[in-house]
Amino acid sequence: MQPQKQVKPSSMNVQSRIQTVYESLRPSEKKVADFLLKHADKVIYLSVSECADRCNVSEATIIRFARLLGLSGYQELKIEMARNLLTPTSDLYEEITPNDSLPEAVTKALRADSQAAADTLSIMDFGRLERAIQGISNAKQILLNGVGTSNLAVQYLGYKLLRLGIPVLSYQDPHLQLISTALLDQNSLVISISHSGATKEVINLIRAAKEKGATTISITNYERSPLAKYSDIMLLTSSKETPFGSGAASSLIAQLVVIDALFVGLALYRRETSFSFLEKTGETVKSQKI
């Protein structure tokens, strides 16, 4: 893949970015996060010292928090928050309640699905994505793992890689997933998918993979989750789950967005062979139609 100029979406969804790191923030950082989420309309008019006073933290904490989000500092944070205010998204994540009518509930669910895709794109790190594409292309053996709803994303990823002529190992049973790590070495690559980044079975496997020297890629919603400790490359999603919607389609859709980004990137990276494999695999499927 030719070195490319870093491409970023026109603006960052600050609220989505905060959600990816919130659970692992220090107490002082959570004060900043809470204030930004609740008072975005006020923050854009505050100086860094005024914001620090409102959050009851130091100015250094405010600046450090902005950099944690991938921004240069407080001024860029205010600019991005102002942009977000022009296109608010909080109402698109309304929680479904038992009292909702069918049209209300369906509208809320599908808006959340659509927003998860847009928010995931808004925080996509194309540098990490390119490293993941190169790692997948160069690996001698690839193992995929995930459980629950994330296993559906694993199956989709396995299908997309197979279409490009990239064979993978993938097992739905967590025990078989773990046993398969015995086959890994430094030429292997593992892709783990977990919305929370804290699923026990996923953590156990990626830890075992690291011990074998394999390269590890994770797709998760939380950058500072336990999964991060064992990930060489982390690809972030952005979706919100509520008690009603735990395991909802929005988290799966966000994962599929990342997988499609990998698929497109791999097709371009391996352009000499990928389009040939796409044609061959497509013809194989067509032969099964009546």
Side-chain angles (χ1 to χ4, degrees):
M1 181 179 290
Q2 295 296 321
Q4 297 179 4
K5 180 180 178 181
Q6 183 71 5
V7 179
K8 282 188 169 185
S10 58
S11 65
M12 169 192 288
N13 188 312
V14 175
Q15 289 184 327
S16 298
R17 188 75 175 104
I18 291 173
Q19 293 293 336
T20 67
V21 299
Y22 186 85
E23 293 302 322
S24 61
L25 294 176
R26 301 183 181 92
S28 60
E29 294 169 338
K30 283 188 176 180
K31 289 181 181 179
V32 180
D34 290 337
F35 184 76
L36 294 181
L37 291 172
K38 294 177 182 177
H39 305 290
D41 57 331
K42 295 181 176 63
V43 172
I44 60 175
Y45 300 109
L46 300 176
S47 67
V48 64
S49 60
E50 290 171 332
C51 185
D53 287 341
R54 297 288 186 92
C55 298
N56 195 27
V57 299
S58 67
E59 292 182 22
T61 298
I62 300 292
I63 296 170
R64 185 171 62 246
F65 185 83
R67 290 175 178 167
L68 176 65
L69 299 180
L71 302 170
S72 61
Y74 182 64
Q75 285 304 120
E76 188 177 7
L77 173 63
K78 291 205 298 180
I79 290 171
E80 294 300 335
M81 295 198 74
R83 285 176 174 167
N84 292 168
L85 286 172
L86 296 175
T87 54
T89 61
S90 59
D91 61 323
L92 299 181
Y93 282 106
E94 292 179 274
E95 184 175 348
I96 297 171
T97 70
N99 296 324
D100 286 338
S101 67
L102 178 60
E104 288 173 334
V106 170
T107 298
K108 287 180 180 180
L110 297 188
R111 279 180 174 173
D113 294 346
S114 175
Q115 195 59 41
D119 287 349
T120 297
L121 175 60
S122 79
I123 65 168
M124 189 169 288
D125 186 320
F126 288 92
R128 292 183 186 182
L129 183 68
E130 186 168 342
R131 287 174 55 209
I133 289 166
Q134 292 172 341
I136 293 170
S137 187
N138 295 331
K140 302 299 183 184
Q141 180 179 221
I142 298 173
L143 173 64
L144 313 179
N145 85 300
V147 298
T149 304
S150 293
N151 188 259
L152 298 176
V154 165
Q155 294 178 56
Y156 181 69
L157 175 57
Y159 162 75
K160 298 296 275 189
L161 293 180
L162 192 59
R163 288 296 312 275
L164 294 174
I166 303 174
V168 299
L169 294 174
S170 178
Y171 305 98
Q172 294 191 42
D173 184 276
H175 289 172
L176 288 177
Q177 290 181 10
L178 190 58
I179 290 171
S180 64
T181 62
L183 304 175
L184 302 178
D185 58 26
Q186 66 274 14
N187 296 313
S188 304
L189 181 140
V190 171
I191 304 177
S192 298
I193 305 179
S194 170
H195 174 80
S196 67
T199 307
K200 183 178 180 180
E201 294 89 343
V202 175
I203 300 300
N204 287 342
L205 186 143
I206 199 170
R207 181 192 299 120
K210 287 294 289 182
E211 291 172 355
K212 292 289 185 177
T215 299
T216 55
I217 297 173
S218 62
I219 300 175
T220 183
N221 209 69
Y222 299 101
E223 186 166 17
R224 298 169 100 184
S225 62
L227 192 59
K229 180 179 179 181
Y230 305 103
S231 302
D232 294 315
I233 305 168
M234 179 172 288
L235 303 176
L236 289 171
T237 61
S238 180
S239 68
K240 297 179 183 178
E241 287 193 340
T242 65
F244 186 96
S246 181
S250 58
S251 62
L252 176 59
I253 286 171
Q255 292 167 351
L256 299 186
V257 167
V258 173
I259 291 169
D260 278 347
L262 286 171
F263 175 77
V264 171
L266 281 163
L268 294 175
Y269 187 72
R270 300 159 58 94
R271 67 178 72 240
E272 293 133 10
T273 59
S274 61
F275 291 99
S276 173
F277 273 110
L278 283 170
E279 185 176 347
K280 288 178 182 178
T281 53
E283 288 298 323
T284 301
V285 175
K286 285 181 182 178
S287 68
Q288 300 302 308
K289 295 181 179 179
I290 297 175

